[in-house]
Amino acid sequence: MTADVTTSRTVADSGKLVLPSYERPAGLHPPLDFTGYRSTALRHPKQPLVLLPHRLTEVTGPLLGDQLITATDSDLTTQHDGEPQGQRIIVTGRVLDTGGRPVPDTLIEIWQTNAAGRYRHSREHHPAPLDPNFDGIGRAITDSGGRYRFVTISPGAYPWGNHYNAWRPAHIHFSVPDEEARQRMVASFDIELTQPEWALGYNWDIVLRGRGATVFE
Ligand SMILES: [Fe+2]
């Protein structure tokens, strides 16, 4: 077999394309059943996972094109007639594959609370006000350099009932196994990205695979 280093494809002696299989590094991602995180008790798998072979879609991801996503999708402050309440922020970064290669044309979706810590969702119970000018949902497609960019408002903390007086800060929903992995989850403030008199800027790269992968639940 011969490996094509530039594309990570492998071609068997028969000439047939053989797609690579990506191992899930042991100990990197949090356990699916974690006693300190009560929500995992009912939703974690009870049987060993069945690993399916990677096919072209799993390796390359869907190619969505740029027609489906508009500029409004990635600017959560302009989706209604008025501006939402709260501190305006910019969140940007790159999606990276193993070896730090950028991943272009890939879809990123975000969801978050409004500035008062409330989701716009039918099962939301937190008695904080909804914002008529904020849905908390955004989408973006990475550019040729793997970069994405969202304009939104800083989300609020909210209670989540895991234990007495449990509150989630402005967050991403992960359980984090170690300090190094935790640091890969934190968006860093960037004064160069910050726009004067308008919005704070934050950088956050998403690494899909490998030892440096961003931790996913
Ligand atoms: Fe949340």
Side-chain angles (χ1 to χ4, degrees):
M1 303 177 77
T2 58
D4 180 341
V5 175
T6 57
T7 62
S8 294
R9 291 179 303 184
T10 302
V11 180
D13 293 339
S14 64
K16 183 179 179 182
L17 182 65
V18 178
L19 296 171
S21 178
Y22 294 101
E23 299 295 329
R24 189 179 170 92
L28 178 65
H29 298 278
L32 297 175
D33 181 19
F34 185 67
T35 53
Y37 186 178
R38 283 185 3 199
S39 300
T40 64
L42 295 178
R43 72 185 188 205
H44 77 274
K46 303 296 192 295
Q47 301 292 327
L49 298 181
V50 176
L51 296 179
L52 301 176
H54 282 103
R55 289 171 292 197
L56 192 60
T57 300
E58 283 72 39
V59 175
T60 63
L63 195 60
L64 298 169
D66 56 7
Q67 302 298 314
L68 298 175
I69 307 296
T70 67
T72 304
D73 286 314
S74 60
D75 186 344
L76 285 71
T77 69
T78 58
Q79 294 175 348
H80 293 273
D81 291 339
E83 283 204 87
Q85 299 287 323
Q87 170 68 60
R88 190 186 298 114
I89 60 173
I90 300 164
V91 181
T92 188
R94 295 174 300 159
V95 178
L96 303 171
D97 201 343
T98 309
R101 292 169 297 198
V103 180
D105 305 317
T106 199
L107 176 69
I108 299 181
E109 295 179 301
I110 62 170
W111 63 97
Q112 63 170 88
T113 69
N114 64 24
R118 178 160 178 163
Y119 288 107
R120 184 182 294 281
H121 191 278
S122 59
R123 295 179 62 185
E124 168 68 284
H125 299 302
H126 182 36
L130 282 169
D131 185 337
N133 291 314
F134 192 74
D135 292 335
I137 299 168
R139 302 191 301 170
I141 297 282
T142 55
D143 64 15
S144 59
R147 183 163 292 280
Y148 70 91
R149 181 179 187 274
F150 288 103
V151 177
T152 182
I153 54 99
S154 185
Y158 64 87
W160 63 300
N162 190 67
H163 52 274
Y164 175 71
N165 216 7
W167 290 77
R168 278 184 166 151
H171 64 278
I172 307 170
H173 290 240
F174 300 130
S175 301
V176 182
D178 60 45
E179 175 63 17
E180 194 174 308
R182 189 180 76 83
Q183 289 303 321
R184 292 198 292 273
M185 308 279 304
V186 179
S188 58
F189 173 69
D190 186 341
I191 191 66
E192 299 299 323
L193 175 64
T194 296
Q195 297 194 4
E197 317 301 328
W198 194 71
L200 298 173
Y202 293 86
N203 255 308
W204 189 55
D205 288 345
I206 302 169
V207 182
L208 297 178
R209 302 186 184 98
R211 291 302 309 175
T214 305
V215 180
F216 295 89
E217 181 192 351

